[in-house]
Amino acid sequence: MSGGTGHGRVRRRLWGWRWRRNPLRRHEDIVEAWAILVMWVVIVVGGALVGTVAARAAGQELARQHTDRQPVRAVLLTTAPEITSAGDVTYRAPVTVRWTGPDGSVRTGQSLVSTDLPAGATVTVWQDGRGRLTTEPPGPAEAAAQAALFGTSAALVLGGLVYGTTALVRRRLDRRRRDLWGAEWDRVGPRWNQRTG
C-alpha cells in the first residue's frame, strides 16, 4: 500500500515540476508551463464559447432559411431527360420550369427535378422571399445536426490553431534550452574533463 502511495506522490511531483522552485528549472520552463496552461484554458473554455456561438449562428441562419423559403408549384417547360436508374438511386436533372413569384409575376428558371418527366408536368420547387429558385431548407432534425456540426467544427478549428501555436512556442523554447545547455557545457566541460583526467 505504501509503495502505491509513494508512486502516486512521485507522479504528482513530476507532473507539476515546472511550477515548483528547483535548481534545474529555467525561465524557459516557466514560460512553457504558462503556455501549456493557457493552451488548455483556451481549448476548453474558448472552444466551448466558440462552438456555442457558431452553433447558435448556424441555427439562426437555418431557421431564417426555413422561414424565408416557400414551396411553390411549377410547370416543366421542357421534358426531363430519361436516365436509367440503378436500384433505389433517384436521379435529378436540371430542367426549365415556370412558376409564379411572391409578387404575382410569372418567372422561368432552372430547377433540379426527377428524371423522365414530360413537359407540362407539375412539380414542387422552392423559392426565397425574392422569388428566386433555391433548395429546400433542412428540416428541424437536420438543421439541429448541421448547427451542432458547425459548432463542433469551429471548436475543433480553434483547438487546432491554439495547439499548433503552442507547439511552435514549445519548439522555440526547446531550441533555446539546447543552446543554453550547450553554452553551459562549453564552460563546464573542460573543467569536468580535467577532474576526470
Side-chain angles (χ1 to χ4, degrees):
M1 287 182 96
S2 60
T5 307
H7 185 65
R9 207 176 294 138
V10 169
R11 206 180 272 168
R12 277 195 301 270
R13 281 186 194 149
L14 288 175
W15 187 84
W17 72 271
R18 288 183 184 93
W19 295 101
R20 287 191 303 277
R21 291 187 180 277
N22 70 67
L24 298 177
R25 186 182 70 172
R26 299 177 183 272
H27 173 71
E28 289 74 18
D29 300 327
I30 297 169
V31 172
E32 183 178 27
W34 277 106
I36 292 170
L37 178 64
V38 169
M39 176 191 75
W40 282 113
V41 168
V42 172
I43 286 175
V44 174
V45 177
L49 288 173
V50 166
T52 301
V53 169
R56 281 189 183 161
Q60 288 171 354
E61 173 59 22
L62 292 168
R64 187 196 63 74
Q65 288 179 9
H66 199 273
T67 303
D68 184 55
R69 298 178 184 183
Q70 300 296 328
V72 63
R73 303 299 288 171
V75 177
L76 271 65
L77 299 181
T78 56
T79 301
E82 183 177 344
I83 299 175
T84 306
S85 62
D88 294 335
V89 179
T90 302
Y91 291 101
R92 295 168 69 82
V95 176
T96 304
V97 296
R98 181 179 63 233
W99 76 100
T100 303
D103 59 356
S105 62
V106 176
R107 303 179 182 213
T108 59
Q110 291 259 314
S111 181
L112 289 173
V113 300
S114 299
T115 57
D116 198 22
L117 287 174
T122 304
V123 294
T124 299
V125 296
W126 289 82
Q127 65 177 344
D128 62 17
R130 295 180 182 175
R132 296 174 300 193
L133 290 179
T134 186
T135 57
E136 181 179 356
E142 188 181 351
Q146 285 185 19
L149 181 63
F150 276 117
T152 303
S153 299
L156 289 175
V157 167
L158 175 68
L161 288 173
V162 172
Y163 184 84
T165 303
T166 306
L168 288 174
V169 169
R170 293 181 74 186
R171 184 180 295 171
R172 287 191 176 183
L173 291 171
D174 285 342
R175 190 177 304 143
R176 177 149 172 74
R177 274 190 287 249
R178 280 195 301 271
D179 293 343
L180 290 172
W181 288 334
E184 286 185 16
W185 181 251
D186 289 343
R187 285 195 307 268
V188 174
R191 281 185 272 164
W192 183 269
N193 289 336
Q194 286 172 1
R195 287 182 189 174
T196 56

